[in-house]
Amino acid sequence: MKKVSFIIVLFLSFFMLTSCTSNETKKSDEPANLKEITGNIIKAKLDKDGNILIDKKDITYDATYISYDYEGVTIGLLAVKDSKGEIIVVVNTCQSCGGSPYAYFVQVGNQVQCQNCGNMFDIDGLHTLEPDGCNPIGIEERVDTKDTITIGVKQLQKLKNKFTNWQGPKA
């Protein structure tokens, strides 16, 4: 019995040493574990002032990815209904990973997952995002009417640098 225990301990020690001591770090141009993009991918509709107009009837419980083009760079938004039916709109890049080609979110069930770092966030929790946290970026300028949501573009234009290498869903 002691011999079997010794062999098991030896095997586990070897496994831990070989799998946990890797000096390799994840390169920023390699995805965590890309998920299939499901839902709609649409081009942003703009109002007369250049702000983004979202028709509420187009947003469902499946993510809608909205592409906004600014000076040749596509800036992504993600819109989805939470479990209460409220429409959430966020900037589709991770605040911490922003700038990486894979710093975008894909819906996985009732969560969204960063395709760069792999972190997951409940859709219901996207109402309370931390500034400068490892999470999607909240929208600063949003006006709701009965049928539409208007998103101001000044914030998005300031985020252009986070999207220059972005490989997220584009229309």
Side-chain angles (χ1 to χ4, degrees), residues 26-37 65 92-94 97 100-108 111-121 166-169:
K26 185 175 151 315
K27 296 178 184 175
S28 64
D29 60 348
E30 294 178 4
N33 186 12
L34 293 179
K35 303 292 183 199
E36 182 180 347
I37 297 169
Y65 304 93
N92 194 8
T93 194
C94 180
C97 300
S100 166
Y102 302 101
Y104 62 90
F105 291 86
V106 170
Q107 184 176 3
V108 180
Q111 297 182 313
V112 293
Q113 182 178 35
C114 177
Q115 298 304 284
N116 189 63
C117 66
N119 286 340
M120 297 186 77
F121 303 90
W166 193 72
Q167 297 299 310

Side-chain angles (χ1 to χ4, degrees), residues 9-23:
V9 169
L10 184 63
F11 176 76
L12 290 174
S13 298
F14 176 76
F15 177 76
M16 289 174 58
L17 285 173
T18 58
S19 64
C20 296
T21 59
S22 172
N23 288 330

Side-chain angles (χ1 to χ4, degrees), residues 85-160:
E86 294 181 42
I87 297 174
I88 299 171
V89 182
V90 294
V91 180
N92 194 8
T93 194
C94 180
Q95 291 185 77
S96 296
C97 300
S100 166
Y102 302 101
Y104 62 90
F105 291 86
V106 170
Q107 184 176 3
V108 180
N110 64 348
Q111 297 182 313
V112 293
Q113 182 178 35
C114 177
Q115 298 304 284
N116 189 63
C117 66
N119 286 340
M120 297 186 77
F121 303 90
D122 289 332
I123 290 172
D124 286 351
L126 294 179
H127 289 292
T128 57
L129 297 172
E130 292 184 34
D132 300 322
C134 182
N135 48 252
I137 300 172
I139 298 292
E140 293 174 359
E141 188 179 342
R142 173 181 167 157
V143 177
D144 284 58
T145 66
K146 179 183 172 207
D147 298 322
T148 63
I149 299 170
T150 303
I151 304 293
V153 294
K154 289 178 186 172
Q155 172 194 16
L156 303 178
Q157 292 170 353
K158 290 178 187 174
L159 295 170
K160 176 184 169 188

Side-chain angles (χ1 to χ4, degrees), residues 36-56:
E36 182 180 347
I37 297 169
T38 59
N40 294 322
I41 304 172
I42 62 173
K43 193 163 194 65
K45 297 174 193 169
L46 304 179
D47 68 10
K48 63 180 174 43
D49 297 321
N51 295 309
I52 297 172
L53 279 179
I54 301 170
D55 193 336
K56 288 183 175 181

Side-chain angles (χ1 to χ4, degrees), residues 54-68:
I54 301 170
D55 193 336
K56 288 183 175 181
K57 70 176 174 20
D58 292 338
I59 308 304
T60 67
Y61 294 96
D62 294 323
T64 298
Y65 304 93
I66 303 166
S67 298
Y68 166 65

